[in-house]
Amino acid sequence: MSFKCRYFAFRKKDADNSDMNLRLLFLICAFVFALSAVAAQEVAVDDTMQTIELKEVLVYSRENQELREQPLSYNVVSSNMMARQQITRMPDLTALVPNFYMPEYGSKITSSMFLRGIGARTNDPSVGLYVDNVPILDKSLFDFSFLDLKIIDVLRGPQGTLYGRNSIGGLIRVSTLSPFEYQGVKAQISYGSYNDLKARLSYYHKIKEKLAFSFGGFYDADDGSFRNVVRNERNSERTFGGRTRWEWRMTDEWLANFSLSYENVSQNAYPYALYDAENDKAGDVAYDAPGKYDRDALTASLSFQKKTEETIVTSTTSFQYLNDKMRMDQDFSPDSIFRLTQCQNSKSLTQEFTFRSTGKKPYQHVCGVMGFAKWNEVDAPMTLYQTGFRTLVPNMPAFVSVDDDIYIPGLFNLRNFGSAIYHQSSYTFWDKLTFTLGLRFDYERAEIDYNTSASLSATAMGIHMNPVYKLKGNDQKDFWTLLPKFSAKYDFSDRYMLYASIAKGYKAGGYSFSMLSNTLQEAMKHAKDNIFDNEVILQPLNSVSYKPEYTWNYEIGLHAEPVRSKLFMDVSAYFIRFNDQQIVTYAENGSRMVSNAARSQNYGAELTMRANPAKDFRVGLSYGFLVAKFKEYEYLKTAEMTMDFAGNHLPFAPGHTFALSAEYKVNVDKKLLDNIIFSAQYNGAGQIYFSEKNDVMQKYYGVLNAKIALRKKGYSLSIWIKNATNAHYYTFYCESLNKSYVQLGNPFRIGAAVTLNL
């Protein structure tokens, strides 16, 4: 295989991060104010440029009805809410959305999301993500920097009969701002503790009545909250990128949309500290090899839509490119034992056609066809240092010495192809009772090629030996299934709607490619048995592949508006039966692999309330309750040892998620100031088990954020605080060489931001 571990990116080395940030901040401010002056002059000459206030409540689904009219559990996060509650990345939605959890994993390559306890940490995502109607196939791209988002919709439960990309746990839809909805300049500068700098600059313009475009860019920098005491460096991060969007209203019926986005990430990653379970205490981050993650990502999409009085037909085509490199000191210690590197070069194509009815007729339908192809070249070598050889291979005879560091390559090609046909029909009787039937046919094919080898250069009693371990082969698996859905809803009035639904969820199987590298490692650990052989042909471990997982989801809920325009409430309860759940477990050296648990079940409830008790005063409340346990799961740890996890809690499934927010606006109406907005948010989650053994657990914790914004039309100055109480909590847990490591949550931070909308 010709693929080498490499990473290409345009970046220059930082001579001094703090000085660079200040210089960059000054340059961006100067550019923003210069562009603002030009925009102001344009407004004086051409009064057609307008700032349009976006609505927060009215959000339409695929069936062209408000989400409040749908028989499902959902949350809507508007652009105003993102600004008030400092939501700039997907992990910020944790606890704000009931039963949603997206922890900080130490780097953006691991960006797993969990809904109702359903998620995936290494394989394909269980929670789907659509950005401007484009399905994001690789979850390594789920943690991205937000730029001019209009709205985020979180739909809980399987959504396979409404969307092309299958999602077993739920779906998140992200919509960006359209140049037809806003024209002018948007800019923001934010600076805070640990040199936390965020800069945004966008320009929206309507060339003529039927053609509009936007350009935007961002730069994020952070020196990091944690220091590696051995390498004397922090977990810093630098991210930049941008997006352009072009929309053409070709006729009254036809609309074309082209978008192109790019993001570059450079992180000092993995601030993992040794964990003392007995005293529930984390030590220092202390390891000797670099921990880094670098990424280039590009997404391009082209969509066409035709809208008539009765139907909307949409075609969306996308191309996604990911090129990244991860370097990890996998023993996380000051000793040089072993190091892991992983490079990916991934390319994806998607095509989706949807047909949906419009209007208020009793019969409504949605149908679609979707296909995708993904090619992923992976090089994941592991380096075993001479000093660490005896740690990993303790049974090697004492008279054997290793001549060099051992380089164990891991070259793999993975290919995934899939297609789906889905349909959902609804019929309403007496304008009150609606029944919905849906069916999805889903097919996926997974293929893997591997052709790699490693050699062990050693000396025993003066004799030089160089056995070569070879691993070569390929495999492919086909997965297909039918996924039914049934729901019923009853509208008591335009303010109360009761619903119930039953849906089957599914996620295809695949390959844990890191376990192929483990095959070479395991062979070398037992090298004493074949150290005098010239060539050793290996067979991959049985744990390389894993089976599909299935769920049956039962849900009831209520959408209510007890006090018109003052109080909104959504309540739901659910029960999920899980079969062959895909679970991540750890090999002895810290590598992660996917295995299937026989049976588990999740059940719980969700509550969302939004109230306007008085003029200029808003209150929000979200609560999620979850019990997620294995019913049957025996894990084969070694050939001699089996562990029974029946009755244990599922990992990364918080028992409680809670969010309380409040906002109060004080109108000033002075020459230099229109109003002052005070806002505060409390988000909490726990208890959270980090492993199937349930031996490590994060108790319930809460984080308090606050913000004060001084606003004048088009301008605002805000002071923000994050984790005001400096709460201590863990966001991630892992194991390596029979030791435990954790990552802490970010401590207290404070900063200020300037925002312009011209």
Side-chain angles (χ1 to χ4, degrees):
M1 300 173 71
S2 61
F3 179 62
K4 302 282 185 169
C5 190
R6 61 189 185 273
Y7 173 76
F8 301 103
F10 177 75
R11 67 170 58 86
K12 65 179 182 179
K13 189 174 182 180
D14 299 338
D16 187 289
N17 291 336
S18 299
D19 290 345
M20 184 196 70
N21 287 346
L22 293 175
R23 290 196 299 269
L24 183 63
L25 179 61
F26 174 79
L27 290 174
I28 293 177
C29 286
F31 181 55
V32 168
F33 283 106
L35 188 56
S36 300
V38 173
Q41 291 177 1
E42 290 182 359
V43 172
V45 175
D46 182 5
D47 60 4
T48 61
M49 180 176 287
Q50 304 179 52
T51 298
I52 300 174
E53 184 70 23
L54 297 177
K55 295 182 179 180
E56 284 193 55
V57 178
L58 194 60
V59 183
Y60 291 98
S61 73
R62 283 286 181 104
E63 295 176 306
N64 200 30
Q65 298 173 341
E66 292 183 46
L67 282 176
R68 288 192 63 78
E69 298 179 8
Q70 297 303 305
L72 55 83
S73 177
Y74 74 95
N75 278 86
V76 175
V77 182
S78 68
S79 58
N80 289 340
M81 186 183 295
M82 293 179 222
R84 292 194 303 266
Q85 303 197 22
Q86 308 175 56
I87 300 170
T88 60
R89 299 164 48 218
M90 283 294 175
D92 296 335
L93 296 178
T94 293
L96 175 66
V97 174
N99 285 324
F100 177 85
Y101 182 59
M102 186 176 183
E104 299 280 0
Y105 287 88
S107 85
K108 291 186 175 182
I109 191 174
T110 306
S111 304
S112 303
M113 298 187 290
F114 295 81
L115 266 174
R116 295 177 170 176
I118 300 175
R121 289 165 53 196
T122 61
N123 48 337
D124 288 337
S126 298
V127 179
L129 175 64
Y130 268 71
V131 179
D132 286 337
N133 217 34
V134 173
I136 306 302
L137 299 186
D138 199 315
K139 73 178 188 309
S140 296
L141 301 176
F142 279 15
D143 189 355
F144 62 96
S145 296
F146 290 175
L147 176 64
D148 293 350
L149 299 195
K150 181 175 66 174
I151 208 155
I152 301 174
D153 303 323
V154 181
L155 314 181
R156 287 179 283 270
Q159 303 299 325
T161 59
L162 280 177
Y163 288 86
R165 184 59 177 137
N166 190 36
S167 57
I168 187 173
L171 188 81
I172 297 179
R173 305 184 309 185
V174 175
S175 300
T176 63
L177 189 59
S178 165
F180 278 116
E181 297 170 315
Y182 180 93
Q183 288 89 49
V185 176
K186 296 175 70 69
Q188 184 182 64
I189 295 288
S190 175
Y191 188 80
S193 307
Y194 303 98
N195 283 332
D196 182 1
L197 171 66
K198 290 181 174 58
R200 303 285 187 274
L201 180 62
S202 304
Y203 179 64
Y204 293 78
H205 184 65
K206 187 162 63 173
I207 299 174
K208 51 186 179 181
E209 196 62 30
K210 294 183 179 292
L211 183 63
F213 71 89
S214 66
F215 285 97
F218 65 88
Y219 178 85
D220 295 341
D222 190 331
D223 282 354
S225 305
F226 310 106
R227 181 182 297 278
N228 185 331
V229 296
V230 174
R231 296 183 56 82
N232 192 29
E233 63 184 16
R234 289 186 175 275
N235 62 314
S236 60
E237 177 183 342
R238 304 290 180 270
T239 303
F240 67 86
R243 182 179 65 243
T244 182
R245 178 170 173 173
W246 294 75
E247 293 189 47
W248 180 22
R249 295 176 175 174
M250 297 178 286
T251 67
D252 292 339
E253 293 185 344
W254 281 95
L255 171 67
N257 189 320
F258 171 76
S259 66
L260 178 68
S261 63
Y262 169 77
E263 185 182 66
N264 176 278
V265 175
S266 179
Q267 290 181 290
N268 280 338
Y270 309 108
Y272 297 164
L274 186 64
Y275 178 63
D276 180 357
E278 183 176 349
N279 298 306
D280 188 23
K281 185 178 179 181
D284 292 325
V285 179
Y287 52 82
D288 62 315
K292 294 184 177 296
Y293 178 62
D294 301 304
R295 161 174 104 197
D296 280 312
L298 181 144
T299 300
S301 67
L302 177 64
S303 67
F304 295 94
Q305 184 180 91
K306 182 180 180 181
K307 184 176 182 179
T308 66
E309 293 183 357
E310 296 185 351
T311 60
I312 296 178
V313 181
T314 304
S315 168
T316 304
T317 307
S318 77
F319 170 75
Q320 298 164 40
Y321 173 77
L322 169 66
N323 183 28
D324 69 359
K325 181 177 182 179
M326 178 269 288
R327 285 159 285 180
M328 179 189 292
D329 184 341
Q330 201 162 346
D331 56 87
F332 304 117
S333 74
D335 302 321
S336 297
I337 300 177
F338 65 118
R339 179 181 66 194
L340 178 68
T341 302
Q342 178 178 298
C343 298
Q344 293 185 91
N345 191 291
S346 175
K347 294 175 278 293
S348 305
L349 288 173
T350 69
Q351 174 63 57
E352 185 170 357
F353 297 98
T354 60
F355 311 84
R356 65 183 186 271
S357 56
T358 60
K360 294 293 185 179
K361 293 183 178 180
Y363 176 68
Q364 298 288 324
H365 68 272
V366 178
C367 57
V369 179
M370 190 264 191
F372 74 89
K374 180 181 177 183
W375 300 268
N376 194 9
E377 295 178 322
V378 180
D379 186 4
M382 193 271 281
T383 301
L384 175 60
Y385 297 103
Q386 295 184 63
T387 53
F389 179 73
R390 293 291 174 183
T391 302
L392 282 183
V393 194
N395 57 353
M396 182 64 70
F399 57 82
V400 177
S401 62
V402 177
D403 299 337
D404 303 297
D405 294 339
I406 303 172
Y407 181 80
I408 305 175
L411 294 168
F412 319 108
N413 269 332
L414 298 108
R415 296 177 295 276
N416 292 84
F417 308 95
S419 60
I421 302 174
Y422 54 95
H423 178 85
Q424 181 170 299
S425 290
S426 301
Y427 195 88
T428 302
F429 299 88
W430 314 296
D431 293 329
K432 294 287 186 181
L433 180 63
T434 302
F435 292 103
T436 299
L437 287 172
L439 185 65
R440 175 189 181 91
F441 172 79
D442 193 276
Y443 168 79
E444 289 194 30
R445 181 180 179 87
E447 300 178 355
I448 186 170
D449 294 335
Y450 46 94
N451 184 2
T452 187
S453 62
S455 61
L456 174 62
S457 179
T459 301
M461 297 178 294
I463 302 174
H464 177 71
M465 295 156 293
N466 191 24
V468 177
Y469 302 87
K470 292 186 176 181
L471 185 64
K472 181 179 181 180
N474 59 77
D475 194 23
Q476 56 277 323
K477 294 185 181 297
D478 296 289
F479 309 98
W480 68 272
T481 191
L482 290 172
L483 303 175
K485 179 181 180 179
F486 171 78
S487 68
K489 69 167 185 169
Y490 187 81
D491 293 286
F492 294 93
S493 68
D494 61 346
R495 293 164 51 194
Y496 293 92
M497 186 266 279
L498 181 68
Y499 71 89
S501 67
I502 301 174
K504 185 179 181 180
Y506 161 83
K507 192 174 76 169
Y511 297 97
S512 299
F513 61 84
S514 63
M515 296 308 296
L516 291 168
S517 179
N518 266 31
T519 301
L520 295 174
Q521 297 174 40
E522 287 295 319
M524 291 184 170
K525 285 176 63 175
H526 299 88
K528 66 181 182 66
D529 299 327
N530 47 46
I531 196 168
F532 293 102
D533 297 338
N534 293 324
E535 184 177 86
V536 181
I537 306 299
L538 304 174
Q539 296 296 321
L541 300 173
N542 293 330
S543 53
V544 168
S545 64
Y546 53 88
K547 299 183 295 184
E549 60 181 2
Y550 302 86
T551 64
W552 277 102
N553 300 257
Y554 308 87
E555 180 179 330
I556 58 173
L558 172 71
H559 301 320
E561 188 180 358
V563 182
R564 191 177 296 276
S565 302
K566 292 289 186 179
L567 178 61
F568 302 88
M569 183 173 66
D570 298 293
V571 183
S572 60
Y574 60 89
F575 178 81
I576 303 171
R577 294 173 54 194
F578 233 126
N579 289 321
D580 294 325
Q581 184 176 7
Q582 296 167 6
I583 296 293
V584 172
T585 55
Y586 290 96
E588 183 180 353
N589 67 355
S591 297
R592 289 177 291 179
M593 66 184 220
V594 180
S595 58
N596 293 92
R599 289 191 307 118
S600 59
Q601 70 178 28
N602 304 1
Y603 63 89
E606 294 140 351
L607 169 66
T608 301
M609 297 179 66
R610 301 175 301 283
N612 303 315
K615 183 181 179 181
D616 299 325
F617 183 43
R618 298 181 182 180
V619 178
L621 171 67
S622 297
Y623 174 68
F625 169 72
L626 170 65
V627 176
K629 290 186 176 183
F630 295 109
K631 301 298 291 182
E632 182 182 345
Y633 181 24
E634 291 187 353
Y635 170 57
L636 183 64
K637 185 174 182 180
T638 65
E640 298 80 20
M641 181 179 181
T642 299
M643 303 183 71
D644 188 358
F645 295 139
N648 286 10
H649 291 265
L650 270 63
F652 294 93
H656 305 272
T657 55
F658 178 79
L660 178 64
S661 64
E663 177 194 343
Y664 183 64
K665 182 171 70 172
V666 178
N667 294 310
V668 179
D669 295 327
K670 299 294 183 180
K671 184 176 181 180
L672 297 178
L673 192 63
D674 289 340
N675 52 61
I676 303 174
I677 298 179
F678 300 90
S679 60
Q681 307 85 39
Y682 173 86
N683 296 337
Q687 55 191 14
I688 306 166
Y689 292 92
F690 288 122
S691 72
E692 293 75 13
K693 292 182 292 184
N694 285 187
D695 55 343
V696 179
M697 180 263 291
Q698 169 62 58
K699 298 179 181 179
Y700 178 87
Y701 68 92
V703 176
L704 178 64
N705 303 326
K707 185 176 181 181
I708 302 176
L710 288 72
R711 300 202 312 178
K712 183 68 179 176
K713 186 176 182 180
Y715 300 84
S716 73
L717 170 65
S718 60
I719 307 296
W720 53 263
I721 295 175
K722 295 183 178 181
N723 196 1
T725 62
N726 201 30
H728 177 93
Y729 60 98
Y730 305 123
T731 66
F732 186 63
Y733 167 87
C734 64
E735 299 174 357
S736 181
L737 300 179
N738 296 317
K739 294 182 179 180
S740 302
Y741 298 88
V742 292
Q743 177 179 332
L744 287 167
N746 283 325
F748 170 86
R749 291 188 175 209
I750 187 171
V754 176
T755 303
L756 307 176
N757 293 288
L758 302 173

